Amino acid sequence: MSDPMQPQNSAAPRSTSPRFPAEVVALAEAVLAAGAEIMRIRAEGIRAEAKADQSPVTAADLAAEALLRARLHDILPGVPVIAEEAVSQGRGESPAATFLLVDPLDGTREFVAERGEFTVNVGLVEDGVPTLGLIYAPAIGRLFVGSAGGRFGALGAFTAERTPGAAADAAGWTRIGCRPRPAEGLVAVASRSHLDPHTTALLGTLPVAERVSCGSALKFGLVAEGRADVYPRLSPVMEWDVAAGHALLRAAGGTVTRPDGSPLPYGRSQEGYRVPGFLATGPGMD
């Protein structure tokens, strides 16, 4: 497989100019701005501290989240913003029928290790289903946007190269989609920092021809653009880690479920927004 950090090469790229609603363009520019803030702090030097759960947090996490919370409230007024660092500090908003899930810096361990596999994630959830997802990897300039119905309609899934802080105009986008299950075996993508024995055991039961390790929500992007077929995670994860990728995969023709195939729930504040595990796949993986 080619480098998962680089755009997919194609002899006939499906370049397009999607007609994103103004709010989607503004959301894309918000994640690009958050990416610029992360890269600014990265250039100044990274210092990590431990949160109560012993996961790392940096100034970049906090600055990107503050920017996003302010921007998102302006773009979608009245829509609650459930963001990782606010929840960890006991300042989280309450979910409603429609709400946003935000991970301002997904892959903080990769960020601290000075690898480029970290992302900004924003997912819109409507009636328990992720309908819009934005994932931006500022270190490599990759932006993913997927809309699978709901407030903004079934626009489809797209990717573009964008530098941090750039405009999210309509030029230079490529429509993406999951590929059918390949007869020669699956490409599986798994977490670089959180691979657990249960996930490893599950991968052993699948006809995997190639396994790729990658950090953050970039793994959803690999499945969405047909470069991988399955992304399992059976260790606990948080809703803001999954929602944007879930919406992107739905828009690209894939699915994200619990490992037993049942729907993945969202907005479970009483559970601390914890997801016990999930299976993200392209089509034909039933």
Side-chain angles (χ1 to χ4, degrees):
M1 182 179 180
S2 57
D3 185 349
M5 297 287 288
Q6 299 302 322
Q8 184 176 26
N9 293 321
S10 173
R14 293 167 289 172
S15 183
T16 185
S17 298
R19 294 188 177 182
F20 292 139
E23 295 94 336
V24 175
V25 174
L27 290 168
E29 292 185 343
V31 300
L32 290 165
E37 188 71 356
I38 290 168
M39 297 304 287
R40 179 187 66 79
I41 294 171
R42 186 193 198 201
E44 294 175 351
I46 302 168
R47 187 181 67 182
E49 299 179 358
K51 295 192 284 191
D53 64 0
Q54 298 306 304
S55 63
V57 64
T58 71
D61 296 79
L62 300 173
E65 179 165 304
L67 183 154
L68 286 167
R69 284 167 58 88
R71 292 275 191 103
L72 300 184
H73 281 304
D74 285 342
I75 297 165
L76 298 177
V79 177
V81 177
I82 313 300
E84 177 179 8
E85 305 309 331
V87 172
S88 71
Q89 296 170 6
R91 300 185 292 107
E93 301 177 34
S94 298
T98 297
F99 64 96
L100 289 153
L101 281 163
V102 173
D103 190 338
L105 204 173
D106 183 24
T108 303
R109 286 182 174 85
E110 310 303 326
F111 178 72
V112 171
E114 298 190 4
R115 289 189 287 264
E117 299 169 1
F118 54 87
T119 58
V120 179
N121 303 342
V122 173
L124 180 68
V125 178
E126 301 179 76
D127 296 323
V129 179
T131 57
L132 176 72
L134 303 100
I135 298 172
Y136 180 50
I140 59 172
R142 295 293 308 283
L143 174 62
F144 296 90
V145 176
S147 178
R151 183 173 190 148
F152 298 112
L155 302 175
F158 302 86
T159 189
E161 296 183 47
R162 292 290 187 273
T163 57
D169 53 45
W173 289 91
T174 299
R175 183 180 288 273
I176 59 175
C178 299
R179 67 179 182 180
R181 178 171 178 161
E184 63 272 18
L186 307 176
V187 173
V189 62
S191 174
R192 186 185 298 282
S193 300
H194 301 281
L195 185 61
D196 64 284
H198 297 294
T199 301
T200 300
L202 174 62
L203 288 169
T205 68
L206 300 174
V208 174
E210 184 178 358
R211 188 184 301 183
V212 177
S213 294
C214 182
S216 77
L218 279 169
K219 295 183 285 294
F220 288 107
L222 292 177
V223 180
E225 60 184 350
R227 300 174 66 188
D229 305 294
V230 57
Y231 164 29
R233 176 156 175 170
L234 301 190
S235 61
V237 66
M238 308 304 289
E239 291 183 20
W240 44 75
D241 296 313
V242 185
H246 189 166
L248 177 68
L249 268 190
R250 290 185 64 235
T255 60
V256 180
T257 66
R258 288 178 169 179
D260 64 4
S262 60
L264 195 66
Y266 288 91
R268 299 194 306 163
S269 57
Q270 70 279 10
E271 303 292 337
Y273 302 101
R274 186 174 297 273
V275 176
F278 65 84
L279 186 65
T281 70
M285 289 290 294
D286 305 273

